[in-house]
Amino acid sequence: TKKIIQAEKIRLEADRRDRERQIAELELKSLRRERADQRKYRELVDGIHHGVVWAAQPESLELSFVSPSAERILGYRQEEWSSEPGFLLNHLHPDDKARFLATVQEVIQERKDARIEHRFMHANQGEVWLHTGLRVSPRAQGGGREIRGLSVDITRLKQTDEALRRRKEIADLLAEASLVLASSLDYETTLSRVGRVTVPVFSDWYIIHLIDANGEIRALPISHSDPGKDALANKWLFPEVIDPLAPVGIAAVIRSGSSELHTHISDEQLQQSARNAEHLQIMRKIGLRSVIIVPLKARGKVLGAMTLILSKPGHSYNQDDLVVAEDLARRIGMAIDNANLYKEAQAAIRVRDEFLSIASHELKTPITPLKIQTQSLMRLLRSGALKDIDHERLERILESSDRQLGRL
């Protein structure tokens, strides 16, 4: 009996060891499979070059993983993502942060995937547009959950969309400006309306200067996105008297007939151009950041100048904007010239009408006595009394007629 019991124990021990071996083999296979899956996943993640794969804690959004492509797309080294507390939130664009956090909370609470387009601050090059897909997944190690994201760089797509939108906006602006300019020959009124079309679509400030009949430069009423600053601009920025010999600016553009593009107006430039401390303070308050000045020309003659100013931070003019401004200026110049031609034609018509009125009166004056004299001779001829007429009287009648013909 003891031998049987001992044999049974040996068999059971062997079975237990065999089961442990099998379990160990299964665990080893599972571990190898998991490592293989992780290796495949890592290879897959490392192969994503157009986006950043990342994982973070749901509560704090502290990052636990970021793919190598993050450095190429956003400029930050991988170790920066994990070493800086709150890195993800710190580098989200301030205007998009609240919307991003709301989307994360929606993913956590409703356990569903979500997508969001947002901006992320690049380490060296401004902002990058990202299309981020979010989901909650079990954490690979340690249990619990984590937020996983795939953020794809869509900056070029956004830039293309913005360029197309801007082109349409500019085309609409030029078309509407043309309609306004063609609506009336009172160009001072229409130019003011063009200003309301131009601001704030293409500029924050719109100023027209024209050369008057005396050759002096005068400004038309200013258009601005903040009308409260008009008085400041009229007094300090565009005074009534403009130095005609100034090396740059409105007078220089009118003299040369060539445009000026000032992409970025620095504070140093403001200090150099300020007439005094108060003038400098006013220019800073107005916010001169980028300026275009283009001549208004028609038939080779400069009629004035158009000044466009951007005052909002982060905006500046470029060469493409200069082309648009010159197109708008060409249309304005043609409208002014057409209005002037119309005024000249109306003046010529008035002179003609006055001449014809005077000429008609003057013509009627000698015709009347000439007609009387001619009728008198015809009566004498019909009555047969012409042969009895005194020759001196006949000579006087003919001499008078000759004088009247001479006047005509």
Side-chain angles (χ1 to χ4, degrees), residues 32-69:
R32 287 173 178 172
R33 187 164 51 249
E34 183 177 343
R35 287 179 177 176
D37 290 342
Q38 288 179 351
R39 186 166 56 252
K40 290 179 181 179
Y41 176 74
R42 179 60 63 89
E43 290 173 355
L44 177 63
V45 168
D46 291 346
I48 297 176
H49 301 294
H50 62 286
V52 180
V53 179
W54 53 271
Q57 298 176 16
E59 297 79 13
S60 62
L61 290 184
E62 293 293 339
L63 293 162
S64 57
F65 172 80
V66 63
S67 62
S69 57

Side-chain angles (χ1 to χ4, degrees), residues 220-241:
L220 297 185
I222 291 174
S223 294
H224 181 247
S225 54
D226 182 3
K229 295 181 179 179
D230 288 354
L232 290 174
N234 285 322
K235 180 179 179 181
W236 290 102
L237 195 56
F238 303 105
E240 293 182 2
V241 179

Side-chain angles (χ1 to χ4, degrees), residues 167 169-185 187 190-191 194 197-198 206 208 210 294-299 303 306 323-339:
R167 286 182 183 179
E169 197 172 58
I170 293 301
D172 291 344
L173 182 151
L174 293 175
E176 188 173 356
S178 295
L179 289 175
V180 170
L181 291 169
S183 65
S184 172
L185 289 169
Y187 64 81
T190 55
L191 290 182
V194 170
V197 172
T198 306
Y206 161 95
I208 296 290
L210 298 178
V294 291
L296 305 176
K297 295 190 287 187
R299 295 183 294 160
L303 307 174
M306 176 179 69
V323 172
V324 174
E326 289 177 337
D327 190 349
L328 179 59
R330 178 181 58 81
R331 299 172 192 231
I332 292 174
M334 290 176 59
I336 295 173
D337 188 51
N338 288 339

Side-chain angles (χ1 to χ4, degrees), residues 39-312:
R39 186 166 56 252
K40 290 179 181 179
Y41 176 74
R42 179 60 63 89
E43 290 173 355
L44 177 63
V45 168
D46 291 346
I48 297 176
H49 301 294
H50 62 286
V52 180
V53 179
W54 53 271
Q57 298 176 16
E59 297 79 13
S60 62
L61 290 184
E62 293 293 339
L63 293 162
S64 57
F65 172 80
V66 63
S67 62
S69 57
E71 182 172 355
R72 182 180 58 81
I73 294 175
L74 296 170
Y76 303 98
R77 299 187 307 275
Q78 275 187 285
E79 54 267 26
E80 292 183 79
W81 291 73
S82 56
S83 61
E84 180 184 330
F87 182 93
L88 185 61
L89 294 179
N90 292 344
H91 296 278
L92 279 169
H93 193 283
D95 294 342
D96 298 340
K97 187 177 297 185
R99 190 164 51 87
F100 185 88
L101 289 173
T103 304
V104 169
Q105 290 303 313
E106 179 183 342
V107 170
I108 294 173
Q109 293 172 6
E110 300 184 14
R111 303 286 185 89
K112 68 177 185 180
D113 297 353
R115 295 175 178 83
I116 181 174
E117 292 183 357
H118 62 94
R119 288 160 292 178
F120 199 89
M121 304 311 297
H122 191 278
N124 306 309
Q125 302 172 6
E127 60 189 39
V128 177
W129 273 98
L130 299 175
H131 177 92
T132 297
L134 298 168
R135 69 168 43 181
V136 175
S137 300
R139 189 174 290 132
Q141 296 178 350
R145 298 179 301 164
E146 63 182 5
I147 291 286
R148 293 180 182 175
L150 171 59
S151 299
V152 178
D153 183 1
I154 58 169
T155 303
R156 289 187 179 180
L157 178 61
K158 282 290 185 179
Q159 290 172 344
T160 301
D161 289 344
E162 176 61 20
L164 291 174
R165 184 196 65 79
R166 186 62 173 167
R167 286 182 183 179
K168 181 181 182 304
E169 197 172 58
I170 293 301
D172 291 344
L173 182 151
L174 293 175
E176 188 173 356
S178 295
L179 289 175
V180 170
L181 291 169
S183 65
S184 172
L185 289 169
D186 180 4
Y187 64 81
E188 292 198 9
T189 300
T190 55
L191 290 182
S192 178
R193 291 173 58 195
V194 170
R196 291 193 290 272
V197 172
T198 306
V199 176
V201 175
F202 191 63
S203 67
D204 297 317
W205 293 84
Y206 161 95
I207 308 98
I208 296 290
H209 285 81
L210 298 178
I211 303 174
D212 63 18
N214 299 322
E216 296 181 353
I217 302 172
R218 64 184 183 89
L220 297 185
I222 291 174
S223 294
H224 181 247
S225 54
D226 182 3
K229 295 181 179 179
D230 288 354
L232 290 174
N234 285 322
K235 180 179 179 181
W236 290 102
L237 195 56
F238 303 105
E240 293 182 2
V241 179
I242 294 179
D243 181 6
L245 301 178
V248 294
I250 296 163
V253 168
I254 290 176
R255 281 200 317 273
S256 65
S258 300
S259 304
E260 289 185 7
L261 169 62
H262 303 279
T263 301
H264 176 68
I265 304 295
S266 65
D267 192 70
E268 181 180 353
Q269 289 174 298
L270 293 180
Q271 294 178 33
Q272 292 174 353
S273 61
R275 296 191 293 272
N276 51 49
E278 186 179 6
H279 186 206
L280 176 62
Q281 184 180 0
I282 294 298
M283 288 195 294
R284 286 171 173 168
K285 184 175 181 180
I286 289 173
L288 301 182
R289 288 183 168 82
S290 191
V291 178
I292 288 177
I293 307 175
V294 291
L296 305 176
K297 295 190 287 187
R299 295 183 294 160
K301 181 181 179 181
V302 177
L303 307 174
M306 176 179 69
T307 304
L308 303 173
I309 299 174
L310 290 176
S311 58
K312 295 177 182 176

